[in-house]
Amino acid sequence: MTTDEAISAAEQLAALGQAVITTDADGVVVGWNAAAEALYGWTAEEAIGHNISTLCIPDVAQDVGADIMEALRAGVPWSGGFPVRRRDGTLFPALVTDSGVYREGRLVGIVGVSTNLGAAVRPLLERAADAALVLRAEGTITYASPAVRQLFGWRDEELIGTQVLDLIHPDDRKSLARFLEDVGRQPGVRPAHEVRVRRGDNWAWAELALTNFVDDPSVRGVVCNVRRSLALTGPESADQRVEELEAALHSRLVVEQAKGFLAGRDGIDGETALRRLRDHAAAHHQSVPAVADQVVSGELTLAADAG
């Protein structure tokens, strides 16, 4: 290869498919390749001269940034996954490897290589019917598989950087917190733990199977597989049907009470009283049971000429 044909370092960086970011020892960006522009959204001109922590590291991951600096100052490369921020403010899980540049034993710079952790682990996790979360040891979600939306209605991109306990029924959070502590103390797979998780405006029983990969440098977290509880879904559905029937019965009873009240007060028949309830409900964009409840409680007079 002739001198003219030699590939420069800049050309090599530009050709890499992974984001490569170089900073000085204080974290100020001095290098930002094309893949970093595509991954994070800032151009090189916008990023260079700014501190990496203000550009890319959200508040929920600032302690990770401190851990990285501590390891690099001790001469140890750092690799792992944690939430990072794009230019538009959205978060995504990144798999990052940071190595120090040293002169005479002194840290003078940092070279970081990063990729979207979701893209890296998605082929492994999205094939499973279970929803999958990757958690840091203290419970912060760093990745959520596409199945979380299908099974539980969670928007995967909105979970990144939030606490897994926020998804759990308040009565079950203490037991899960203890379970997470136990998992964090011992690598490997643990038996499933049953809790109620948020599903729309309701709660659904689910099995959480946790595997400790905190010491694995490619994950540095706990993989949490979440599935609907087959043992408790039946009773849960039956309880929900009972609640719906009770609510329907209560609504019917309130409407009948309101009809009787109006008929007795104004000397009208039941059909006329019901029509008056319906007319008021339609005019005020309310349900008939809601109007009836206001009449029975005395909050609404509903005279013959009321609109």
Side-chain angles (χ1 to χ4, degrees), residues 56-66 82-84 136 140:
C56 301
I57 303 180
D59 291 342
V60 295
Q62 288 293 331
D63 58 335
V64 178
F82 64 96
V84 295
R136 289 175 54 199
T140 300

Side-chain angles (χ1 to χ4, degrees), residues 206-284:
E207 296 178 354
L208 274 61
L210 305 180
T211 307
N212 184 335
F213 287 108
V214 172
D215 294 331
D216 186 327
S218 64
V219 181
R220 288 190 185 270
V222 175
V223 174
C224 175
N225 293 96
V226 190
R227 68 175 65 180
R228 295 292 301 274
S229 174
L230 297 178
L232 296 175
T233 295
E236 173 191 78
S237 299
D239 290 343
Q240 185 174 350
R241 287 195 295 271
V242 169
E243 290 178 1
E244 291 172 351
L245 288 172
E246 289 178 345
L249 181 60
H250 174 73
S251 296
R252 180 65 180 270
L253 179 61
V254 168
V255 171
E256 291 300 323
Q257 287 177 331
K259 285 170 56 180
F261 174 79
L262 292 176
R265 187 194 66 183
D266 299 334
I268 57 178
D269 58 34
E271 286 300 318
T272 302
L274 179 59
R275 184 167 58 252
R276 192 178 297 177
L277 292 169
R278 288 173 173 168
D279 290 346
H280 184 89
H284 294 82

Side-chain angles (χ1 to χ4, degrees), residues 167-218:
L167 302 173
I168 308 301
H169 192 283
D171 293 344
D172 299 333
R173 290 174 185 171
K174 185 177 293 185
S175 66
L176 181 61
R178 287 196 299 266
F179 188 56
L180 278 171
E181 290 179 2
D182 291 342
V183 171
R185 285 192 289 265
Q186 183 178 358
V189 182
R190 301 298 296 274
H193 188 76
E194 289 187 332
V195 295
R196 286 161 291 183
V197 300
R198 176 163 50 80
R199 189 169 188 265
D201 295 330
N202 298 305
W203 300 98
W205 281 101
E207 296 178 354
L208 274 61
L210 305 180
T211 307
N212 184 335
F213 287 108
V214 172
D215 294 331
D216 186 327
S218 64

Side-chain angles (χ1 to χ4, degrees), residues 2 7 20 40 77 85 97 142 173 176 186 217 238 246 264 284 307:
T2 66
I7 302 173
V20 179
Y40 291 95
R85 182 175 55 235
T97 298
T142 60
R173 290 174 185 171
L176 181 61
Q186 183 178 358
E246 289 178 345
H284 294 82

Side-chain angles (χ1 to χ4, degrees), residues 5-307:
E5 295 174 330
I7 302 173
S8 69
E11 290 174 316
Q12 295 177 50
L13 288 177
L16 285 176
Q18 292 180 311
V20 179
I21 300 170
T22 306
T23 73
D24 64 16
D26 295 322
V28 176
V29 176
V30 297
W32 189 275
N33 75 342
E37 292 183 328
L39 185 61
Y40 291 95
W42 283 279
T43 64
E45 291 76 13
E46 291 172 325
I48 290 173
H50 293 275
N51 195 287
I52 190 67
S53 64
T54 60
L55 281 177
C56 301
I57 303 180
D59 291 342
V60 295
Q62 288 293 331
D63 58 335
V64 178
D67 291 343
I68 293 172
M69 293 304 300
E70 182 179 353
L72 294 175
R73 290 193 176 101
V76 180
W78 191 97
S79 180
F82 64 96
V84 295
R85 182 175 55 235
R86 298 184 181 92
R87 188 178 190 274
D88 63 7
T90 58
L91 304 184
F92 71 94
L95 181 60
V96 178
T97 298
D98 285 328
S99 301
V101 179
Y102 303 90
R103 291 178 187 158
E104 300 178 352
R106 182 172 59 90
L107 180 68
V108 296
I110 302 163
V111 178
V113 179
S114 56
T115 188
N116 191 320
L117 177 62
V121 302
R122 184 181 295 256
L124 300 176
L125 298 180
E126 71 178 356
R127 297 175 186 175
D130 298 349
L133 305 173
V134 178
L135 316 174
R136 289 175 54 199
E138 83 290 350
T140 300
I141 299 170
T142 60
Y143 171 78
S145 72
V148 299
R149 186 176 304 190
Q150 178 182 353
L151 292 178
F152 301 102
W154 306 334
R155 295 178 61 85
D156 45 317
E157 66 274 10
E158 294 180 353
L159 295 180
I160 306 302
T162 65
Q163 280 286 322
V164 68
L165 292 180
D166 293 340
L167 302 173
I168 308 301
H169 192 283
D171 293 344
D172 299 333
R173 290 174 185 171
K174 185 177 293 185
S175 66
L176 181 61
R178 287 196 299 266
F179 188 56
L180 278 171
E181 290 179 2
D182 291 342
V183 171
R185 285 192 289 265
Q186 183 178 358
V189 182
R190 301 298 296 274
H193 188 76
E194 289 187 332
V195 295
R196 286 161 291 183
V197 300
R198 176 163 50 80
R199 189 169 188 265
D201 295 330
N202 298 305
W203 300 98
W205 281 101
E207 296 178 354
L208 274 61
L210 305 180
T211 307
N212 184 335
F213 287 108
V214 172
D215 294 331
D216 186 327
S218 64
V219 181
R220 288 190 185 270
V222 175
V223 174
C224 175
N225 293 96
V226 190
R227 68 175 65 180
R228 295 292 301 274
S229 174
L230 297 178
L232 296 175
T233 295
E236 173 191 78
S237 299
D239 290 343
Q240 185 174 350
R241 287 195 295 271
V242 169
E243 290 178 1
E244 291 172 351
L245 288 172
E246 289 178 345
L249 181 60
H250 174 73
S251 296
R252 180 65 180 270
L253 179 61
V254 168
V255 171
E256 291 300 323
Q257 287 177 331
K259 285 170 56 180
F261 174 79
L262 292 176
R265 187 194 66 183
D266 299 334
I268 57 178
D269 58 34
E271 286 300 318
T272 302
L274 179 59
R275 184 167 58 252
R276 192 178 297 177
L277 292 169
R278 288 173 173 168
D279 290 346
H280 184 89
H284 294 82
H285 307 289
Q286 294 179 288
S287 67
V288 173
V291 173
D293 192 58
Q294 294 173 49
V295 170
V296 171
S297 65
E299 298 176 22
L300 181 65
T301 303
L302 202 62
D305 59 350

